[in-house]
């Protein structure tokens, strides 16, 4: 097995080629991987940014353009390109769902609305209207209750997985697969066809109702409240009260996704992900895709979709860290999509250093450094009063972080699940400002009287031994302070980089620089410290 999730230091960690691994990744724009010629230029950018993994869509429509006729020329070519460019791939299966819609379903599915039923969103209508900024677009989605579509999707997915096994098992270029994309229903909190109403009025399976009642600890308050104050058995409203519609949608969607995943995994087992369109604060199910793997529905998904290893958030909302907290509670953190504003690089380092994340992947990474498009402006929250959210990520800075963190993979990933790898960031500075490494502590400074810091800083520190540390920092300063030991001397303080997994020293900095560890630009330092308790 070349790629799998294993328990390592009591934490679930992605292993690739028998070693702990994190994906310093980037997701391409939806259409890029449909053209091999177009992709030629993208690998070069990935390389410049130091990425080790690309997230690439594969669509049902191009995989099975005619029913029963499969075309794997695109995955084959992408896998070859990745090997030539020394990169890994996580494929994204755009099957029945893409952004809660059905745009990548094949033509033969779209044309046959009797066989491949649409979701009835308004009674008698398989359509609703969605406003997106200045535009209003019709919205259609395939029905999550239609077994015919589920079987057809699963059949195509399993053929794809079989093919990936045939061409890639002995290489391991493909290290993971996302099953569907941003599932859920928009426009209503559940489907409302006669069939859906009938299912909603029927009894909730007892085992599921019991599981939900017995697993309320990690639930959002309103979900827990609705479940604990409702009947133990009965129809969906009776058992799930105020959250019944969303639970009903989540139950059917997660079972559908699980079915597709199981069929695929029976052919070739890879780590699986289900990515999530998050709810903005105050939104109701249906305003965000109802039934998708939002954290409030994780218990439903855990019960119904055991074939999915990780529920992964697409984070464009400003409260990035709260989302990471939510999605790392009982699973590894994997962020398949993140905004490319000026927090992007720092968040990459923080996700690795603090959450020991499986992967982090800016969406449309080839846009890094360019002015925002209208869509990005809308997605990244241009209306939010934070200059860092309105500033595009600097290309050179992201490249420094990507290359440095990729080169440090063994140093950092081997310490996943331990306190020897920690991080601080400006976004969290008010609540977490010190890393405790036992004999010493490292305190972060994100507001400095002599430095103009942007508020998007980060510090990552790794303890190699009682004496030796590496510190990455940007838009920050650190002070090393006594921990369990009363005194310490800095023996060595140097800058440098990792080449072929080995530290290559640059300047020795024991003079002025050692008295103030400032890191306005990205820095990687090695520090050796002698600690002692006896009086001087
Ligand atoms: C989230 C989706 O998962 C992506 O495929 C893409 O549509 C981005 N949103 C927005 O550009």
């Amino acid at each position: 097995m070349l790629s799998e999730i294993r328990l390592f230091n009591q934490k679930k960690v992605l292993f690739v080629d028998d070693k702990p691994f994190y994906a310093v990744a980037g997701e391409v724009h939806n259409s890029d991987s449909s053209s091999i010629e177009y992709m030629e230029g993208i690998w070069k950018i990935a390389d410049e940014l130091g990425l080790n993994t690309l997230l690439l869509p594969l669509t049902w429509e191009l995989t099975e353009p005619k029913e029963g006729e499969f075309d794997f020329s695109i995955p084959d070519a992408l896998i070859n390109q990745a090997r030539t460019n020394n990169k890994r791939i996580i494929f994204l299966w755009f099957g029945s769902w893409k952004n809660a819609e059905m745009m990548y379903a094949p033509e033969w599915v779209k044309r046959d609305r009797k066989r491949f039923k649409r979701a009835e969103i308004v009674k008698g209508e398989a359509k609703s209207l969605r406003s997106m900024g200045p535009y209003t677009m019709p919205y259609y989605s395939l029905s999550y209750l239609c077994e015919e579509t589920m079987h057809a999707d699963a059949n195509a997915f399993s053929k794809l997985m079989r093919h990936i096994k045939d061409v890639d098992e002995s290489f391991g270029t493909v290290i993971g697969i996302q099953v569907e994309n941003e599932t859920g229903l928009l426009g209503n909190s559940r489907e409302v066809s006669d069939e859906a109403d009938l299912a909603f009025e029927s009894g909730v399976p007892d085992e599921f109702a019991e599981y939900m009642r017995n697993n309320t600890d990690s639930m959002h308050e309103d979900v827990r409240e609705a479940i604990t104050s409702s009947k133990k058995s009965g129809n969906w409203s009776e058992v799930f009260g105020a959250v019944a519609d969303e639970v009903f949608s989540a139950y059917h969607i997660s079972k559908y996704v699980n079915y597709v995943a199981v069929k695929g995994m029976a052919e070739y087992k890879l780590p699986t992900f289900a990515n999530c369109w998050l709810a903005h604060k105050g939104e109701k199910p249906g305003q965000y895709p109802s039934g998708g793997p939002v954290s409030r529905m994780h218990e439903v998904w855990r019960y119904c979709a055991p074939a999915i290893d990780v529920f992964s958030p697409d984070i464009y909302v400003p409260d990035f860290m709260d989302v990471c907290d939510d999605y790392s509670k009982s699973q590894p953190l994997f962020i398949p999509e993140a905004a490319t504003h000026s927090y992007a690089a720092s968040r990459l380092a923080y996700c690795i250093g603090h959450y020991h994340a499986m992967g982090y992947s800016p969406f449309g990474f080839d846009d890094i450094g360019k002015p925002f498009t209208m869509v990005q402006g809308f997605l990244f929250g241009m209306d939010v009063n934070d200059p860092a959210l309105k500033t595009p990520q600097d290309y050179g800075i992201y490249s420094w972080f990507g290359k440095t963190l990729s080169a440090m993979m063994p140093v950092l990933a081997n310490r996943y699940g331990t306190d020897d790898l920690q991080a601080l960031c400006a976004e969290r500075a008010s609540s977490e400002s010190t890393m405790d490494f036992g004999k010493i502590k490292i305190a972060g400074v994100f507001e400095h009287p002599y430095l103009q810091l942007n508020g998007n800083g980060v510090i990552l520190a790794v303890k190699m031994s009682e004496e030796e540390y590496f510190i990455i920092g940007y838009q920050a300063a650190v002070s090393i302070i006594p921990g369990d030991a009363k005194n310490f001397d800095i023996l060595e303080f140097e800058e440098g980089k990792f080449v072929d997994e080995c530290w290559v020293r640059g300047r020795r900095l024991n003079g002025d620089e050692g008295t103030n560890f400032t890191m306005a630009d990205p820095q990687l330092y090695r520090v050796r410290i002698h600690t002692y308790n006896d009086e001087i």
Side-chain angles (χ1 to χ4, degrees):
M1 179 73 74
L2 289 151
S3 172
E4 64 178 358
I5 295 169
R6 290 189 196 161
L7 215 52
F8 177 68
N9 296 325
Q10 274 89 55
K11 188 176 169 65
K12 284 184 187 164
V13 172
L14 177 63
F15 269 67
V16 173
D17 291 342
D18 248 356
K19 294 184 206 122
F21 182 92
Y22 49 77
V24 177
E27 181 167 329
V28 297
H29 283 286
N30 297 161
S31 315
D32 295 3
S33 55
S34 64
S35 160
I36 299 309
E37 290 71 34
Y38 190 89
M39 281 300 295
E40 291 289 348
I42 300 288
W43 296 100
K44 187 170 164 285
I45 299 172
D47 216 43
E48 284 172 6
L49 291 172
L51 309 186
N52 60 29
T53 305
L54 261 59
L55 272 59
L56 304 175
L58 293 178
T59 66
W60 186 6
E61 61 173 357
L62 293 179
T63 303
E64 194 182 4
K66 290 203 178 124
E67 190 169 9
E69 286 179 22
F70 293 91
D71 179 354
F72 299 117
S73 54
I74 288 179
D76 286 351
L78 293 171
I79 289 171
N80 281 334
Q81 285 184 329
R83 286 185 198 147
T84 308
N85 289 282
N86 198 22
K87 302 276 174 267
R88 308 277 182 169
I89 293 177
I90 293 174
F91 279 130
L92 316 174
W93 174 241
F94 286 6
S96 300
W97 281 276
K98 156 70 175 86
N99 296 19
E101 300 195 46
M102 45 166 277
M103 51 265 235
Y104 287 112
E107 192 176 321
W108 51 271
V109 170
K110 286 180 181 155
R111 284 183 186 277
D112 193 344
R113 283 170 291 129
K114 278 213 169 59
R115 194 172 150 208
F116 304 109
K117 293 200 186 86
R118 304 282 173 97
E120 215 169 287
I121 305 163
V122 183
K123 198 78 187 157
E125 281 241 35
K127 173 172 97 177
S128 69
L129 294 176
R130 273 190 74 208
S131 291
M132 289 178 293
Y135 307 109
T136 300
M137 294 279 282
Y139 164 79
Y140 311 94
S141 187
L142 291 162
S143 170
Y144 51 65
L145 296 170
C146 184
E147 292 194 359
E148 185 77 15
T149 327
M150 181 177 80
H151 290 140
D153 183 335
N155 181 48
F157 184 64
S158 66
K159 295 278 189 309
L160 171 68
M161 293 310 292
R162 174 75 224 180
H163 184 78
I164 295 174
K165 180 185 165 90
D166 290 345
V167 297
D168 195 49
E169 193 178 27
S170 52
F171 294 90
T173 307
V174 184
I175 60 167
I177 185 108
Q178 180 183 291
V179 190
E180 310 293 345
N181 190 80
E182 293 191 343
T183 55
L185 180 73
L186 288 169
N188 206 337
S189 44
R190 71 167 176 90
E191 293 185 17
V192 292
S193 61
D194 291 346
E195 185 196 356
D197 286 349
L198 195 65
F200 192 71
E201 289 309 321
S202 319
V204 174
D206 285 340
E207 203 188 291
F208 173 57
E210 196 182 332
Y211 173 87
M212 292 294 279
R213 267 200 321 280
N214 292 338
N215 289 280
T216 54
D217 284 0
S218 69
M219 284 178 186
H220 289 206
E221 194 52 48
D222 67 313
V223 181
R224 184 186 308 123
E225 166 64 25
I227 290 172
T228 50
S229 62
S230 299
K231 283 171 67 176
K232 287 188 176 169
S233 66
N235 66 30
W236 291 76
S237 296
E238 288 167 332
V239 174
F240 296 114
V243 297
D245 282 13
E246 191 178 11
V247 172
F248 177 81
S249 293
Y251 178 86
H252 289 288
I253 293 172
S254 54
K255 278 199 171 281
Y256 188 126
V257 172
N258 191 60
Y259 183 85
V260 175
V262 165
K263 290 287 175 195
M265 293 311 101
E267 298 299 337
Y268 186 36
K269 176 89 188 85
L270 284 178
T272 51
F273 311 97
N275 69 329
C276 178
W277 171 332
L278 300 170
H280 279 263
K281 282 208 169 85
E283 280 182 342
K284 304 239 173 315
Q287 291 174 309
Y288 64 89
S290 181
V294 284
S295 62
R296 48 192 281 107
M297 289 294 113
H298 277 183
E299 285 305 345
V300 181
W301 275 77
R302 257 192 277 280
Y303 177 85
C304 298
I308 298 298
D309 294 313
V310 180
F311 309 128
S312 44
D314 295 342
I315 316 185
Y316 299 99
V317 294
D319 47 348
F320 181 91
M321 300 299 166
D322 296 343
V323 176
C324 293
D325 286 351
D326 242 7
Y327 278 76
S328 58
K329 271 184 194 148
S330 51
Q331 56 161 20
L333 182 65
F334 177 62
I335 302 172
E337 296 181 36
T340 52
H341 49 55
S342 75
Y343 283 113
S346 298
R347 287 174 175 179
L348 163 66
Y350 188 73
C351 282
I352 290 173
H354 178 77
Y355 292 104
H356 301 180
M358 194 175 271
Y360 173 93
S361 166
F363 178 81
F365 67 85
D366 52 310
D367 284 345
I368 286 180
K370 297 180 191 159
F372 293 154
T373 61
M374 190 197 78
V375 174
Q376 287 164 330
F378 167 70
L379 274 175
F380 301 172
M382 290 296 269
D383 50 338
V384 175
N385 193 21
D386 176 349
L389 295 177
K390 299 181 186 181
T391 312
Q393 170 65 59
D394 179 89
Y395 191 85
I397 287 171
Y398 203 88
S399 169
W400 186 93
F401 273 95
K403 286 181 177 155
T404 303
L405 293 164
S406 290
M408 289 180 77
M409 172 87 73
V411 171
L412 305 182
N414 282 330
R415 288 166 180 81
Y416 266 27
T418 76
D419 290 338
D420 292 344
L421 174 61
Q422 298 186 41
L424 299 170
C425 66
E427 287 184 82
R428 279 268 162 101
S430 55
S431 54
E432 285 169 4
S433 58
T434 308
M435 296 174 277
D436 189 343
F437 288 103
K439 291 198 171 160
I440 59 137
K441 291 180 180 170
I442 299 178
V445 178
F446 296 103
E447 280 180 34
H448 198 284
Y450 311 122
L451 294 173
Q452 287 285 319
L453 298 176
N454 291 337
N456 56 4
V458 69
I459 300 159
L460 175 153
V462 56
K463 176 179 174 181
M464 307 297 288
S465 67
E466 282 304 344
E467 285 205 345
E468 187 185 28
Y469 296 80
F470 288 102
I471 301 174
I472 287 176
Y474 167 58
Q475 285 291 304
V478 293
S479 37
I480 299 180
I481 52 180
D484 299 342
K486 278 196 208 148
N487 307 302
F488 65 84
D489 296 319
I490 293 183
L491 304 178
E492 291 175 0
F493 176 36
E494 55 198 27
E495 63 185 9
K497 58 182 176 185
F498 278 83
V499 178
D500 296 333
E501 302 189 2
C502 294
W503 174 246
V504 178
R505 180 173 83 69
R507 292 180 301 165
R508 175 65 74 88
L509 304 170
N510 279 22
D512 288 350
E513 291 90 346
T515 55
N516 66 58
F517 283 60
T518 53
M519 302 170 286
D521 295 325
Q523 303 289 349
L524 168 59
Y525 293 138
R526 174 178 169 272
V527 196
R528 209 153 64 72
I529 299 167
H530 168 59
T531 55
Y532 51 100
N533 279 322
D534 45 328
E535 296 308 323
I536 301 170

